[in-house]
Structures are given as C-alpha cells and as structure tokens.
Amino acid sequence: MVAIASVVENTCGFNLENIVLFGKCRCSELRWLSFSHKKKMLSLNGSQLYTYSVCNVGEHEQDNWLRTTFIQRRLSASRVFVELQFIVRDCNSFDGSSLTCKETFNLFSSESDADIGTSFRKGQFKKVATIAPDEITSRNELRINTETRVVESLSRKGFYLAFQDIGACMALLSVRVYYKTCPATIKSLAAFPETVAGGGVNQALREVAGVCVENAVSEESPRIYCTMDGEWVVPVGQCQCMPGYEAVNDTCRDCQPGFFKAFVSNDACELCPVNTKLLSSGALFCPCAEDFYRAPDDPTTGPCSGLPSAPRELVATTTQLAAGKLQLSWSPPEDTGGRSDISYSVECRRCEGTACQPCGEKVRLEPASSGLVDTRVAVSELEPHLNYTFTVEAHSGVSLFASQGTPRSNRPPSTSTLTTALHYTDPPKVTSMRLDERSLTSLSLSWAVAPRRPVPQPTRYKLTYRKKDDNLDVTTYTVLILEKSSVQISDLSPGTAYLFRVQALSPEGSPGGSSIEDEFETLTEGKEDVPPPPPPCLSCICIVLAIMSIYSYSSPEQLKPLKTYVDPHTYEDPNMAILKFASEIHPSHVTKQKVIGAGEFGEVYRGILKAPGRKEGAVAIKTLKPGYSEKQRQDFLSEASIMGQFSHQNIIRLEGVVTKFKHAMIVTEYMENGALDKYLKDRDGEMPSFQLVGMMHGIAAGMKYLSDMSYVHRDLAARNILVNNNLECKVSDFGLSRVLEDDPEGTYTTSGGKIPIRWTAPEAIAYRKFTSASDVWSFGIVMWEVMAFGERPYWDMSNCEVMKAINEAFRLPAPMDCPSAVYQLMLQCWLQDRSKRPRFPDIVSLLDKLLRSPESLKAIADFDPRVSIRLPSTSGSDGLPFRSVSEWLESIKMSQYSENFTCAGVVTMDQVLQMKNVDIKNIGVRLPGHLKRIAYSILGLKDQTSTLIQSPIFVNI
Ligand code: AMP
C-alpha cells in the first residue's frame, strides 16, 4: 500500500508531513529563498496559481537558484519523493535567443540538522536530477508537466531542495514532497504499527515486529516486512486465538454459548457435542450432561455417552443337550449410549431351590466370560435339572462410571437375565448290559442306564445287533426299538456269538450315548447252559439290579414303531378324539384379557389359565363364535385333537379345551411375540443371521417331529409360526379345515381345494400330493421369509405368475445378507423332484452344524439388489423414475429415514445417487441392515441406466 504523508492543502509551511502545493498558497506565505525567480500569478483554466518563474533566455551563463525552506524529516523517512509541476517554454518561440535558451532545469538537495535560514552555499547541494519537460509550452498553448524524483539515503534531521535554472523560461507550479508508509494493520491476528517504507538499496525491506491481538498468542513473535512501495509482505509467526476464543474480523471473540474451543488454533468454535451441558460463552470444553460420561480414552472434545442399556432378546439354544451344552445369544442393547465399543460379560449362577451361587469353574463359558464382542457365548459342562441364571451385561468405555453419581431411577439396567435349565428330554447313557437267559435260538438281555437327577425317566431304547463273525463287508444289523430295558431275542442261530449295542432314545427319538458293544452267544446243541459270568464289580450289580427291578422284561411283541399321528377323522365320533387327545378345562378357570387376533372361527384372546393343580400362566384362547353349526364346531375342535397329540418344544402346546359349555374354546400356551412374519417385519435388518438361523432351526426341529409322526402340515408359512419371549419358534395352525378355509393365502386351484400357492410345492398344487416333502418345500419358503425379514415371497407377482415361473425352473433369489449355506439349503428344498429334497432330519442337522460353527454363516450368497429388495430399482412403481426421495424410501420400506434425508439436505434423487456409504451413515442410518438396504438400493439405482428388470426375476436352477 502506498501511503502518502497526510495532505494539508493550502499550507505552505514545509515539513514532510505536508504536501507543498505552493501554487495555491497565498503569495505572502511563500518564503523560499529566491535569487532570480519571481513570484508570478498564472491564470489556468480560470483559477489563479502562484508560481516561481524565471525566463532569462537571452542571457548567457544563467545560474539562478531557488531554495525551499527547511524541510523537517521524520526520522525514519530516509527516502522521499519530490513531485514537481512545471512549465517550460519552447526555445524556438523566442526569436534569436535560441542559442542560449535551455529547456531543462536541475533539482538539488542538501541535508542539514538545523534550519540555516537564508545562508546559502551552492557547494552544500547535491544534484538529484536534471528535469526535462515531456511537453514544452508554445506561445499560445500552456503545457503543464509533472515529474517525480526520489531523494534517497536521507539521514539528517531535515533537508532543503533547490532548483537551478540555467537559462530556461520556466515556471514551477507546485512542489509536493512525500514519503511512503505501510499503514497500521492487523495481519494473522498480529497488530503492526504504521511504518515508514524502507529506503535505499540496502534497506529495501523494513522488518517490523507485531503484537498478538487480545486473547491471541503465538509461538514465534510475529514479524512482517514493509517494502519500499509501502506494502506489507511476508508475515512470519502468526497469532492464534486462545482456547475459548475464535477469530472474528481480526479479533479473538469468546466462543458463543453452546460452542467451545479446546486448543490454541485459528479454528472456529465448535458446537458442543451430543450429551453435553451447554455452558455460557467462552467455553474451553463442554462438560458431560448428567448421566453421560467420557471414557478415559475419549477426547474431551468428543461427545459424551450414556451407559448401555441391557442386551436384548437373551435366549438359550440347546446345542448338545446330552453334553450339557447350550449357546446363549442376545441382541445388542437398544441404547448403546452412543458408543461402538460395546462388549459383554456373562455371569452364571446355579440355583437349587432358592439358593443360588456362582457357577465358578464348574461351568465353562467360551470364548470367555467377559470382554465378549460377539453377542453369543457357548456354555458347557452344565448339569441337568439345575436352574442356571445367566446375567449378560453390556459394557462400554463408560461403564466404569456406572456406580458413580447419584443413582438415577430411570437409568436403564445394563443387564439382562435368563434362567434356564437343561431338562433332559435327552436320553441317559446305557451303562451296562447283561445276559439273563439263553437258549439255542434266543438270548434274554437287560441293561441299565446312568442314574439321573431327579428321577430316572422312562425312555425308549434302540438295540442293534449282528452276528459276530459276519463278513464285515456285508454285515447285517438288526435294529429294534424297545420301550423297556430288557428284551428276549428269538430266531437266532445256535452256538453263535452276537454283538449287541444299546442306546437310550429321547422322546423325540434322538439317541443318547451308546453302551459298549457286548458279546453274547446262543447255546450250542448238546451243551448245558451255564450261568453268565459274574460282572467284574459287585457294587455295580447292586445298582444295576436295583434299577432293573423297576422294569419288567420286554418281549419281542413289545417292539413298536415310533408314535404316529392319528387323524381325528378316523374317529367315528370326533368328540371321542377330543376326549382322547385334549384335557377338558372348566371355563371358570379361564380369564380372557385382550383380543390378540382373529381366527376363522372367532376371536383369539390373551388370557390367564388358573386351574387346580396347574401353574397359573398366560395362555392364548381361541373361541368359536356364536351361531356355529355342529360341523363348524367339530372342525374348530379338530385343531385341538391334532395339537393334543403333539408334545415338542417347537410345536404350540395345547393346554386344554372347553367343550362341555356353550362357548367352546381351545387354550394353548401364549406366545408373547405373536406371528413370526409380523415379528420379523418389525425388526427388519436388525437381527444377526445367527439368530435367524437359530429360529429356522427351531421350526425345522418342530417339523421333523411332525414328519416323524407322519403328520403333513400343508400350510407351513411364517404367519403360522408363533414366537415367544425367548424367541423360540413354534409351529401352529393345525385345523383340519385350515387350508380350505382359514388361511387368507388359500386360493382355489384347478385340482380343487384351496392352496396357499406361493408356499406350496408344485406337485401339491398340481395333483394335491401333500407329503413331508411338500412341507419341506414350504419350509424353504419360510427360510426365505425369515432371511428376508417377513418379505412376501414373490412380492407382488400374481399366483399365476408364480406358478408359471416355478414351472419354468425359476426360484426366489437370495435375500440380502443371506448366508450362502442357508440359501443353498433353500434351493435344495425347492427341487422339482421331491425325492431329492432334503428331509427334515437332514435339515435339522445341517442347521445345527451351521449354528455350531458360526464362521460357516460368513460366506454370503450373491445378492442382486434390483430383484431382492423388490426394488423397481430403476423406477417407481409406475415404471417412471422416483419422483421424490420419500417415494424412493417408501419403495424400499425405509420411510422412517425420510426426515434424516431432508435434514441433511438430500432432497433430490440426483443427490441420493451421489451418496456414499459414509454419507448414509452420517445422516443417521446406523443399523447395519438398514445401511445395507439403502446402499444396495442406491447401487441398484445407479445400475439402472439400461435395464428395467425383466420378468422373471428369479434364479434359474
Ligand atoms: P390363528 O387363528 O391360529 O391363525 O390365530 C390368529 C392370530 O392370533 C395369530 O396370527 C396370532 O397373532 C394370534 N395367536 C394365535 N395363537 C396365539 C398364541 N398361542 N400366542 C399368541 N398369539 C396367538
């Protein structure tokens, strides 16, 4: 910047702070020392100017001097500018004088420490420049020239300027003397004073020290340079606002209320993070709000977090009952307190009666009992028939504050507790077998089982035997299922050794630990029987005998197949079937509380069953609406006749029926979480695969039980599975007329009858071939519903389109995030050839295997977002591009995030297409499932350009 010393016009006193414009001064004020120059008035454009003039052009050797008064110098101004305005007459305009006439004059200067008044010595002046006009003045035209010269290296207190005329005809109109400064300034929050510009060759830049403005500091003292031209350059060592202050217009201002700044920096104050107290102005940090904390490693500038709430949906899944193992799994807490460092600890207490104590070393928790990052733990070495209470606690970096401060009554507990026991429906181990009697062709055997608390349970046994010396390649085994712990086997070969092995079976038919192989031999003709050799340990005998005495010997006639289901229709009087399979309840023991659903025959209520000799508990009550016919009543109660025959953890349990009163009722166990399809829809994307597969495993176990009993369900679908508080899934809906009447999905087919098309195997649709294999097909669809969180199979395709697609070998595509192994199993269930489909026992054991090695769920099946979210990924439902972000979100069932998008300023689909995963997260979509759904959808939208999805949309197998 060029600064000119302050302008004071019309002042003719001469010091460096003035501009000398003597042309405008009154004549009396001009006190320059003049030898030949005359003060003259010049009229220019109507105004009168004073001049110093000289015009001795006809005379030789002119040496006319004009000297200014003493010009005081500001000490630091060593370089001044002299701007002259003058006119010079053209020598040619003087007749005959051109020989001596000059058209230039000289500028001189002389330094001095004091005003020397009128004393003048030429020798003291140094020449500064010869001044020549650019334009000379002719006779009739006045030309004013302006020239500026620099007088450098001034060092004394002042100086004089002098003008030497050597024979020109000229007039000096004005002399302006000035110097340049760099003006006072604030740069990078440092204040620098007004500084006279550097002067002279070696002093081109003048270094100036600055001072930080108030509330600013700097590590290095601030400096800057002032150039000869009056410009500031190269600031060094900038100042920064102190904590609690931010730079605003070259000052450091207090952070506004609700903002803070923790460090010395030039950053703006930041908004106080979430869960902090808003202080008044000038905050260095924002302290945590009540009940929120910062972990020791958290930055003081970050948000505060609350304690996590309790883990949710803690469930125990029995993995290997016999081995005393179970798996605890849970969902992350609903409220993580805003933290991602959630870990869990599991505490085990074992209880006998009301006395509980820590499980200690006795029970193993793997991988550990604390510091768990995964939401599951494997528990082993549990003893049967003891109650174990598992408390799972969620921890985070701020959990150490859990006990600090005043306890808050509304603080959510961070623990979730589950009490469970391993009740052995699992069979005991057969410990010893003995030969009781033998003949030429028969052997009578008996065996004992390991004693179990609280009482040995009646069980069934599987006996396997073969001839000892059978050629091993073609060994023939005989297998018998026995209901007692002894047997007589006839039709054996005389004098032959046989090998026997016996296993106890659980009520569900799964085998327990087997006995060692025992060898017994039939009698040889002509040889007398000898008593069997005594067992090696006498004390064992006593125990074995004691237990054996409970049982009587079995005879071969007692060999029985597993229990099968009896169709109530086979009873001439259906009421007999009810009597046989269901227990009668007195209506006064049943209290209806609330309608929870609508069945074909009447309302379904939640209620309480309080009957003598029974534990009071919540039940579901199905009612028969008034005005029914006898046929409808029988159809209604047939469900109870069927359900009453089943007893399995994964089949809805019948508590009893009311038949002897006007209002017939079916009372079943109450399933708190209702129908599976709705349960999953409400938790879309929120449950880990592991838990979903656990649910499928339960359904498969129930279906295995039904298929073992030769019961074909015909309407297996997520809507007919109920879920309880422990997330156990149970198969329900067993009415005889059910598929015909009850199911809204039921559709009349050409083969007659009503069939839920999208759940039903092709052979069942085509020619009503309903078998366990067709139930397996439906199970595949249920698996798909589970993995797709209750999505409707085949979306909005019509039944007709579905059947056509299936016949053309198309199958549903993998849902998002579906483990590959699970999808492969679905595809197997949907094999056209029903004999090739897996059976329920295969399905149970495969799912069991997957659950035991959760890594097996890590490989994810290929997923095409365009088909699998049922996104018209290219367009809205009418085939046009989505008109709005909310229309798009609605189409992918993510409407709940509409506001997040709007608040983040994402209001057009073009903006949506620009979003990256991190953007989606930043606008507040936190659940991994939802994140993926939205991200995949965007991917699908980007992919759109060319192809609208062609039907069929399935995987071709
Ligand atoms: P349903 O006639 O068996 O299909 O039952 C109709 C609806 O009532 C079901 O979709 C459930 O929402 C509800 N419901 C039926 N049984 C139960 C139960 N045992 N526990 C809880 N809810 C039930």
Side-chain angles (χ1 to χ4, degrees), residues 596-600 604 620 622 639 652 668-672 674-675 719-720 722 732-733 742:
I596 51 170
E600 160 70 9
V604 182
K622 283 192 176 183
E639 176 166 20
I652 196 87
T668 64
E669 66 179 305
Y670 178 63
M671 301 293 282
E672 295 83 352
R719 65 183 169 279
N720 290 330
L722 293 169
S732 82
D733 221 27
D742 191 13

Side-chain angles (χ1 to χ4, degrees), residues 187-190 192 212 216-223 235-241 264-266:
K187 292 225 184 269
S188 305
L189 296 177
F192 297 96
C212 289
V217 287
S218 75
E219 281 178 11
E220 204 183 330
S221 52
R223 278 170 296 137
V236 179
Q238 61 166 268
C239 302
Q240 296 180 318
C241 290
V264 170
S265 77
N266 275 343

Side-chain angles (χ1 to χ4, degrees), residues 627-936:
Y628 50 82
S629 66
E630 180 54 26
K631 163 90 175 53
Q632 281 173 322
R633 182 175 176 276
Q634 281 171 10
D635 281 347
F636 170 70
L637 289 172
S638 67
E639 176 166 20
S641 309
I642 297 168
M643 218 189 294
Q645 297 182 50
F646 305 139
S647 161
H648 188 273
Q649 179 140 358
N650 299 103
I651 305 291
I652 196 87
R653 187 179 68 243
L654 178 72
E655 298 288 359
V657 285
V658 176
T659 61
K660 298 196 173 136
F661 294 82
K662 190 169 158 221
H663 296 291
M665 291 181 230
I666 298 176
V667 181
T668 64
E669 66 179 305
Y670 178 63
M671 301 293 282
E672 295 83 352
N673 279 313
L676 176 63
D677 59 338
K678 174 153 190 318
Y679 177 82
L680 292 169
K681 276 179 199 153
D682 293 345
R683 285 158 185 78
D684 193 356
E686 294 175 17
M687 295 170 72
S689 300
F690 181 82
Q691 233 170 36
L692 298 175
V693 175
M695 295 178 113
M696 287 176 205
H697 179 266
I699 303 167
M703 289 308 296
K704 171 182 176 299
Y705 174 81
L706 295 181
S707 69
D708 282 348
M709 287 194 65
S710 311
Y711 177 83
V712 180
H713 190 287
R714 297 179 177 216
D715 195 9
L716 179 58
R719 65 183 169 279
N720 290 330
I721 304 291
L722 293 169
V723 186
N724 69 10
N725 246 350
N726 291 334
L727 299 201
E728 276 175 315
C729 288
K730 307 203 181 196
V731 181
S732 82
D733 221 27
F734 298 103
L736 274 184
S737 61
R738 172 195 81 245
V739 180
L740 288 172
E741 308 294 344
D742 191 13
D743 193 327
E745 286 292 345
T747 307
Y748 286 102
T749 65
T750 47
S751 61
K754 246 177 154 186
I755 286 175
I757 298 293
R758 43 198 89 217
W759 281 264
T760 306
E763 73 277 5
I765 298 174
Y767 50 97
R768 305 190 63 72
K769 183 76 189 162
F770 285 100
T771 57
S772 288
S774 64
D775 275 353
V776 164
W777 178 291
S778 311
F779 179 77
I781 304 288
V782 172
M783 289 175 74
W784 190 91
E785 291 183 274
V786 170
M787 292 313 303
F789 288 98
E791 178 66 271
R792 180 171 170 74
Y794 313 96
W795 305 277
D796 48 5
M797 289 172 69
S798 70
N799 281 344
C800 188
E801 285 169 333
V802 171
M803 288 191 284
K804 186 163 172 287
I806 295 296
N807 278 341
E808 287 168 4
F810 289 103
R811 298 292 184 265
L812 281 166
M816 183 163 49
D817 272 343
C818 178
S820 200
V822 173
Y823 183 55
Q824 285 311 314
L825 180 57
M826 289 181 206
L827 292 177
Q828 293 291 308
C829 294
W830 301 327
L831 288 177
Q832 185 73 23
D833 181 348
R834 69 174 188 278
S835 68
K836 297 223 169 87
R837 291 175 206 152
R839 283 149 212 272
F840 281 115
D842 309 326
I843 295 174
V844 172
S845 64
L846 184 97
L847 292 174
D848 191 52
K849 237 188 242 159
L850 296 181
L851 287 171
R852 273 187 225 184
S853 53
E855 322 72 71
S856 62
L857 298 176
K858 290 215 168 109
I860 301 298
D862 282 346
F863 167 80
D864 183 345
R866 288 170 308 176
V867 289
S868 290
I869 308 177
R870 190 45 181 163
L871 247 196
S873 56
T874 55
S875 58
S877 51
D878 50 6
L880 296 168
F882 291 109
R883 278 167 304 220
S884 66
V885 176
S886 59
E887 184 182 300
W888 162 65
L889 285 171
E890 198 174 318
S891 82
I892 56 169
K893 300 197 299 175
M894 292 282 109
S895 290
Q896 66 267 44
Y897 293 110
S898 262
E899 211 172 298
N900 300 50
F901 279 77
T902 317
C903 290
V906 180
V907 289
T908 65
M909 288 308 289
D910 277 348
Q911 288 172 298
V912 167
L913 290 178
Q914 302 304 318
M915 291 182 88
K916 306 214 167 51
N917 289 3
V918 56
D919 304 326
I920 306 169
K921 207 170 180 175
N922 284 345
I923 67 167
V925 182
R926 291 283 138 88
L927 288 172
H930 292 183
L931 251 173
K932 274 188 199 150
R933 178 174 280 263
I934 291 172
Y936 276 136

